[in-house]
Amino acid sequence: MAPLASISEVDGGGTENFDIVSMYEDLLRADPDLTMPVAAIESLVRLLSHSSSTTISETLDLLAKSTAHLKHSVRNPISLSAGTDLFQRYLITTLQRPNNLGPGAASGDFRAIRQHLISNGWLFVKRAKESRKTIADYGRRFIRDDSVVLTNGGSRVVGAVLRAAAEARSSGVRFQVIYIQSASDSLPGDNTEGSPTIFALRALQVPVAVIPDSAVAYSMGKVSMVLVGAEGVVENGGIISRMGTYQMGILAKSAGKPFYVVAESHKFVRLYPLGQYDLPIEQKVLDFKTEKSQQDNMVEDLIQEPIAEGWVEKTPAVKEKGEYFDKMVSPRTPKTVFDKTEGKSGQVEGVDYTPPDLITALITESGVHTPSAVSEELIKIWY
């Protein structure tokens, strides 16, 4: 990961040449363990270091505009939004307490105020990164001897919990893991989103079974507990997570299995979805087609070509027409996109909403909470 900016860098020379989206993507590429919200927060702190603003109003306006630009650059900004919104609130709260800004800041010296904001910003990033270790210590205690843990996706905090439990096997805890392979993963257990965790657990002599998402109900009878991560924890205690988490919750409740969520508090987001179709992002999960509409979509996809700035229509050249029409009549393959956030090519993954009545408990760095306690935690964080 790129080195942290020091306090002496606060006169960075302006933000004209600072590309917050590129910085965000570079941070994610440099550190595979970095989450989207933490990368977004760190990008904002670096922006502050380069800022030439001279007032608090200019600084907050810069942060708001940069945050909006960053959110617009990713397909699913829910997790990112949780971190950036919380960080902005953190800065505003800091500014509302002038006695805590230091002697220079209290006298109105904006340079001292900005130094204090940047210093607190790095402290915020440091605590956010350390939260995963604290959650792992809490979460591993829920994994009992001879238990079978069902999980999905590539949640880093879930992986941390499972590795912590595996490394604590000297205490006599032995367990197995069932990992659900997404339909968009190409090779079972080899090129999946959760393959680093699978390999790490197997190296620690923890048996791991990889199953397709169609075998979740079949496997539920062997499961002792379900452990999942979240892209966002919403106000009512529900979670927004990768597609398939909701059905895991339904099946776990039907079978009487505990359903635990592990998530950092910087993923608590001020949303209150009423159901699956009330999420603040557009998803084409249900894409109804007729034979005619499918042919029309084939033509539309084939006459588009990606370039650096976006998509442009292209009329096929004469020499391309044979291949062009061959593609039109051949079976259509799933469209792939370049995932700027993760830096990999693959099918677009959707998310779903798991309501609080399916969740047994949420495990965060501040402790273990029932879903009904999330609103109280949000009040503490925001007010």
Side-chain angles (χ1 to χ4, degrees), residues 326-356:
D326 286 343
K327 287 183 179 179
M328 283 182 62
V329 297
S330 65
R332 191 181 185 196
T333 56
K335 183 189 293 185
T336 60
V337 299
F338 182 75
D339 187 341
K340 292 167 60 177
T341 308
E342 298 296 338
K344 62 185 179 181
S345 179
Q347 290 178 327
V348 178
E349 284 289 352
V351 295
D352 58 26
Y353 164 65
T354 304

Side-chain angles (χ1 to χ4, degrees), residues 286-302:
L286 300 174
D287 190 10
F288 297 104
K289 291 188 176 82
T290 63
E291 184 176 351
K292 182 177 184 304
S293 66
Q294 187 170 5
Q295 291 174 349
D296 291 342
N297 287 338
M298 287 181 185
V299 174
E300 182 181 346
D301 286 346
L302 288 168

